[in-house]
Amino acid sequence: GIDNQYYEGEISYIPLALKAWWTIRLDALKATNPLTGESYNIVENEFSIVDSATSGLSMPPNWWDDFMDSLEEQDLIEPYHGHLRILKTCDEENKAKLPTLTYVYNGIEFPLEGKDYVLEWDHDDGSKICQLDLMRSDAQFGQNPVKYIFTAGIPFMKKYYTIFDYENERVGFAL
């Protein structure tokens, strides 16, 4: 059932585009620079999976690579063990410089600020590490109309109360 104590306001329901994997239409995934307000679409008119078993937000390789390159150009992040990326300086000021990622479903915007997709943990040497909870995913449906997968995983569901409505073939989100 739905527990009203975990959200405020209205629930926005998004119809399933496919019955497989809680797949919904992703109108756009936007990145907005919080310092300048400049915004661009990372992708438009693709599909997204809402997945409570995916620990991060995932993007196909070409989109992930382009997005990470843009952050490296701003001197915000650096590589850390393969495809992981960390903030060069782990503090609130640098988290605030990360782009706001906005998932647009059914014309409704669901923004995530940098602090929403950063995992902070202690390194073995006692220093703080701020890891971007963004994953490069090679997973594909491999068939038309859906080929690439963008996943709204745990960081998305930490911010937005999520309802998997099997009976009505839809997913609901609320703050």
Side-chain angles (χ1 to χ4, degrees):
I2 297 171
D3 193 335
N4 298 344
Q5 72 176 331
Y6 293 110
Y7 70 93
E8 298 176 9
E10 297 294 316
I11 298 170
S12 298
Y13 285 100
I14 314 301
L16 294 182
L18 295 172
K19 292 182 182 180
W21 298 355
W22 295 100
T23 306
I24 56 179
R25 171 68 67 184
L26 177 63
D27 298 340
L29 176 57
K30 300 190 306 188
T32 304
N33 182 320
L35 305 176
T36 66
E38 292 177 31
S39 181
Y40 70 94
N41 287 344
I42 294 171
V43 68
E44 293 178 321
N45 202 26
E46 282 291 345
F47 292 88
S48 176
I49 295 171
V50 182
D51 186 12
S52 61
T54 301
S55 63
L57 307 171
S58 74
M59 297 179 203
N62 51 332
W63 286 281
W64 187 89
D65 292 342
D66 289 347
F67 184 64
M68 290 302 134
D69 287 348
S70 73
L71 296 180
E72 286 175 11
E73 287 171 11
Q74 297 173 50
D75 204 31
L76 284 173
I77 65 168
E78 60 189 359
Y80 184 82
H81 295 298
H83 292 297
L84 298 179
R85 297 295 183 266
I86 61 171
L87 286 176
K88 286 190 170 186
T89 305
C90 183
D91 60 21
E92 296 306 313
E93 180 181 341
N94 280 306
K95 288 179 195 177
K97 291 178 185 176
L98 289 169
T100 297
L101 294 176
T102 303
Y103 289 76
V104 183
Y105 295 123
N106 211 26
I108 304 163
E109 295 191 351
F110 299 93
L112 295 173
E113 296 174 357
K115 66 181 180 174
D116 297 323
Y117 60 88
V118 170
L119 294 173
E120 189 172 317
W121 46 277
D122 294 322
H123 193 274
D124 293 339
D125 66 9
S127 64
K128 292 275 186 210
I129 300 286
C130 282
Q131 175 188 326
L132 301 186
D133 204 1
L134 302 170
M135 303 183 311
R136 184 179 196 265
S137 173
D138 292 326
Q140 295 183 12
F141 277 105
Q143 60 190 21
N144 288 325
V146 181
K147 185 173 182 180
Y148 298 106
I149 300 171
F150 291 79
T151 305
I154 299 297
F156 187 89
M157 287 184 268
K158 279 183 177 178
K159 183 165 184 178
Y160 295 100
Y161 184 78
T162 303
I163 300 150
F164 295 97
D165 186 348
Y166 183 80
E167 185 175 304
N168 294 302
E169 298 181 5
R170 63 187 183 171
V171 180
F173 303 118
L175 264 175

